[in-house]
């Protein structure tokens, strides 16, 4: 049974940093497409970043240069380092996985079949 558990969210001022973690279990970690998404109140879930089995990464334009996705295959954990945070980064952040994909091919939420419950990030101005 695949499980994804996010942690690390919180409240910070603009310009601050947070590191999100996603502990994964129930499949062979490191041999899947993994991603981070976020959802602000009243808005659709949007892509933030993704990483695949070969550590190839991709970012949304809105976070490029400020966020870094990584994975520790020994610990079975996905990370999102978020720097220079802005109020528009506020939202519920979700970890997502598709263990059936060795490489990522899409940033659409539909390309991921397992989701965590989310961790809240609030950035104040």
């Amino acid at each position: 049974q695949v499980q994804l558990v996010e942690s690390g969210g919180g409240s910070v001022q603009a310009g601050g940093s947070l590191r999100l973690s996603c502990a994964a279990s129930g499949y062979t970690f490191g041999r899947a497409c993994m991603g981070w998404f976020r959802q602000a109140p009243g808005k659709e879930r949007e892509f933030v970043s993704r990483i695949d089995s070969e550590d190839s990464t991709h970012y949304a334009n809105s976070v490029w240069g400020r966020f870094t996705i990584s994975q520790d295959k020994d610990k079975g954990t996905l990370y999102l380092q978020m720097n220079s945070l802005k109020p528009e980064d506020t939202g519920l952040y979700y970890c997502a996985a598709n263990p059936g994909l060795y490489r990522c091919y899409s940033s659409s939420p539909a390309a991921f079949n397992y989701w965590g419950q989310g961790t809240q990030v609030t950035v104040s101005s």
Side-chain angles (χ1 to χ4, degrees):
Q1 179 179 352
V2 175
Q3 286 191 323
L4 303 172
V5 180
E6 303 97 334
S7 61
S11 297
V12 296
Q13 290 191 327
S17 298
L18 284 172
R19 188 175 83 154
L20 306 183
S21 300
C22 172
S25 61
Y27 67 99
T28 304
F29 188 86
R31 298 181 62 84
C33 176
M34 302 287 297
W36 287 100
F37 291 77
R38 65 188 181 190
Q39 188 166 17
K43 294 188 176 181
E44 293 186 352
R45 191 170 300 189
E46 66 172 358
F47 167 76
V48 175
S49 183
R50 73 188 196 212
I51 188 169
D52 65 20
S53 302
E54 297 186 0
D55 290 330
S56 177
T57 60
H58 186 67
Y59 297 92
N61 289 339
S62 59
V63 306
W64 191 87
R66 300 187 297 122
F67 291 11
T68 303
I69 191 171
S70 62
Q71 57 186 345
D72 187 325
K73 297 178 181 179
D74 292 331
K75 294 183 178 179
T77 304
L78 179 73
Y79 300 100
L80 185 69
Q81 177 67 43
M82 305 186 295
N83 298 328
S84 302
L85 283 161
K86 304 176 181 180
E88 51 264 44
D89 294 318
T90 293
L92 190 60
Y93 281 68
Y94 295 94
C95 170
N98 189 332
L101 295 178
Y102 189 79
R103 301 295 303 273
C104 296
Y105 69 92
S106 171
S107 298
S108 167
F112 296 83
N113 47 6
Y114 294 97
W115 295 82
Q117 294 195 334
T119 184
Q120 179 67 36
V121 172
T122 303
V123 185
S124 57
S125 58

